[in-house]
Each structure stands twice: as structure tokens, then as C-alpha cells.
Amino acid sequence: MENFYAMLKATNISKSYGNSHALKDLNLTVQSGEIYSLLGANGAGKSTTINMFLGFTEPDSGTVTIAEKDATKQAAETRKFIGYIPENVNLYPYLSGIENLDYFCRLAGLKYSTGELQDFLTTCGLQSEAHKKKVSGYSKGMRQKVGIAIAYAKKAKVYLLDEPASGLDPLASNELSELLRKLAKEGASILMATHDIFRAREVCDRIGILKQGNLVKELKSEEVTANELEQLYLEYMKN
Ligand code: ATP
């Protein structure tokens, strides 16, 4: 019953800016519990796809739905499902991690006890010594964990991540992969845009290669090794 509809669904979406196609007849689904990665060169349309699910960008044609609700026309409703993690998570530097989490939860109308807030941060991988330290001293990976904790506390069913691994050291990147797997195991649908072929292969269930607004290839991660995926990606980029 849980998977009877695709949590995220883009149907024949196209978007142009002037004469250039940002997306052309894109069809994409992400089920509950699934991690899907969009790979593609700069300007391929990855962020445009994510922005459509966020309801920030309206398609010229086609439909974008989250839990069968239109992400453009019912954006106020669909955004309730979403946790959005941009490349750089913006937090208040002079507040601690737990104060930031509390602040953003209250903005969303949620009031949690200190213990609950700590549990969210711990679940999202932020070590307890850091909870009460100012965010100005946090690494990029630590800020990202707070960003994910904000989405987690909001009980997001969908996580949209735009180049989340960019600029993370290998350990932080590995922790992010593990956290995403944990969220998917709990039933979240995860769509991420990335340039990191190795991580995409490692953490995602399915991968889509976008080229100039066209989804030229979709595959299951288990079907390829990281090297094979890289070769495939390079072939699509060259041709
Ligand atoms: P990157 O890896 O650089 O983030 P991307 O795959 O996310 O790239 P998009 O940002 O989705 O690519 O851009 C797709 C195309 O649409 C590009 O040609 C881009 O210049 C264009 N584009 C995106 N947003 C706008 C906008 N607001 N106005 C004009 N053109 C835009």
C-alpha cells in the first residue's frame, strides 16, 4: 500500500528560458524509501528539476506532483512534505546548532523539548559536544547535519538535495551517505543532484543522467560498478 503511488513524479515537463531548453519532456519518479540521483554537466537541468518540486519554478508544460498533489498549484501543501538541503545550508552563525533547530522548528509551528531537539541532532549525526556550540565554528558537514535535522524534525517525507556532497571531506561525505540511507529506510523519498559519480553509485537506488535538459539514461545503481557508471556518463557527455 505504501508504494502505490510515486511520492515524487514529473510527467512530461518542459521548461525553456528564451530559446534554450532547460528541460525537455522529462519523466521522473521517486518512490517512498528510494534515493534517486540526477547526474549531469553544469546547466543540464538538475537544479531546475529540484526547483520544480519545490514549487519555485513552474513548468511550461507537464505536471510535477508530490504525493499526488500538484507542486506548482498546491505548493503550500506540497512544501509541508519537503526538506530542502541546498549546497550551503544557511543557519544563524551566532546561535548554536540546537538553537537554530529550535528556531526553525518554531517557525514551522513545532515546539519540541530540549531532549527531543537533541535526539533529532544526534539522529542526524551531529556529535553531542557540538549541540550547544555556535554554528560559526561548525564545518560544512556539521551545518548540513543541522539542515537535515530541521527537515527531520519537520517529519519531511521528501528530501531534495542540491549538490549536498560538494565540498565535504570523504568522512563527512560518507556520513551523509549513511544518513540518507537511514532516512530512506524510514520511508523518505530522496532526490539529489550531484556531480559525484562515486557517491551517487554508492548511496542511490537509481540514477538518471541529464544532458541538456533530456534524461538520456536511467539505471539502477546495482547494475553498474562506479567505473562503469563513470564510463557510461562520459560516453553520454561526449556524444
Ligand atoms: P549546475 O550543475 O551548474 O548546477 P544544473 O544541471 O543544475 O547545473 P540548471 O541550473 O537547472 O542546471 O540550468 C539549466 C539551464 O537553464 C541552464 O542553461 C541555465 O542557464 C538555465 N536557467 C536556469 N535557471 C534560469 C533562470 N532563472 N533564467 C534563465 N536561465 C536559467
Side-chain angles (χ1 to χ4, degrees):
M1 196 66 182
E2 196 182 13
N3 282 340
F4 89 104
Y5 58 71
M7 194 63 190
L8 291 170
K9 188 167 187 180
T11 309
N12 295 327
I13 52 170
S14 293
K15 179 78 185 173
S16 296
Y17 292 102
N19 289 330
S20 81
H21 290 290
L23 289 175
K24 216 172 167 189
D25 274 330
L26 180 87
N27 287 290
L28 182 77
T29 57
V30 186
Q31 308 288 338
S32 175
E34 189 176 36
I35 310 180
Y36 189 108
S37 182
L38 279 175
L39 292 175
N42 295 125
K46 304 182 296 297
S47 300
T48 303
T49 306
I50 286 180
N51 286 336
M52 285 197 181
F53 282 112
L54 283 164
F56 291 159
T57 302
E58 198 173 337
D60 296 336
S61 57
T63 53
V64 183
T65 61
I66 298 180
E68 296 189 316
K69 292 183 198 303
D70 191 300
T72 311
K73 297 190 186 108
Q74 295 166 277
E77 280 182 63
T78 54
R79 280 192 196 130
K80 288 183 192 152
F81 294 115
I82 301 174
Y84 172 53
I85 321 294
E87 186 184 339
N88 288 299
V89 174
N90 264 321
L91 300 169
Y92 289 95
Y94 296 109
L95 296 181
S96 67
I98 197 162
E99 287 166 341
N100 267 284
L101 176 57
D102 188 31
Y103 176 76
F104 285 104
C105 284
R106 282 168 194 259
L107 274 189
L110 301 164
K111 170 90 186 76
Y112 291 112
S113 69
T114 303
E116 286 170 320
L117 294 167
Q118 283 175 324
D119 284 348
F120 291 135
L121 290 172
T122 302
T123 300
C124 294
L126 191 74
Q127 64 272 37
S128 48
E129 312 85 79
H131 291 186
K132 292 184 178 155
K133 291 193 177 144
K134 281 185 185 159
V135 159
S136 55
Y138 280 21
S139 65
K140 186 169 180 173
M142 290 162 78
R143 288 200 305 277
Q144 200 173 58
K145 286 170 184 169
V146 178
I148 295 176
I150 293 167
Y152 192 75
K154 212 180 111 180
K155 313 247 183 294
K157 293 185 166 40
V158 169
Y159 288 77
L160 300 173
L161 300 103
D162 206 345
E163 302 194 17
S166 136
L168 293 187
D169 65 51
L171 177 63
S173 188
N174 182 266
E175 285 177 350
L176 173 67
S177 297
E178 283 182 10
L179 177 53
L180 295 181
R181 268 199 225 102
K182 182 157 70 177
L183 297 173
K185 220 171 178 184
E186 291 178 13
S189 302
I190 301 177
L191 174 65
M192 62 186 229
T194 184
H195 290 294
D196 190 333
I197 291 174
F198 172 78
R199 288 283 165 208
R201 155 72 187 70
E202 188 202 54
V203 73
C204 295
D205 300 296
R206 281 193 301 139
I207 294 164
I209 300 177
L210 264 180
K211 183 178 182 183
Q212 294 164 359
N214 294 292
L215 192 64
V216 290
K217 178 78 181 167
E218 262 190 329
L219 71 159
K220 288 184 181 162
S221 301
E222 65 193 20
E223 291 170 356
V224 285
T225 63
N227 280 343
E228 285 166 349
L229 179 60
E230 186 177 36
Q231 281 313 311
L232 194 67
Y233 177 84
L234 293 174
E235 276 163 32
Y236 275 107
M237 292 306 118
K238 280 183 210 151
N239 297 324

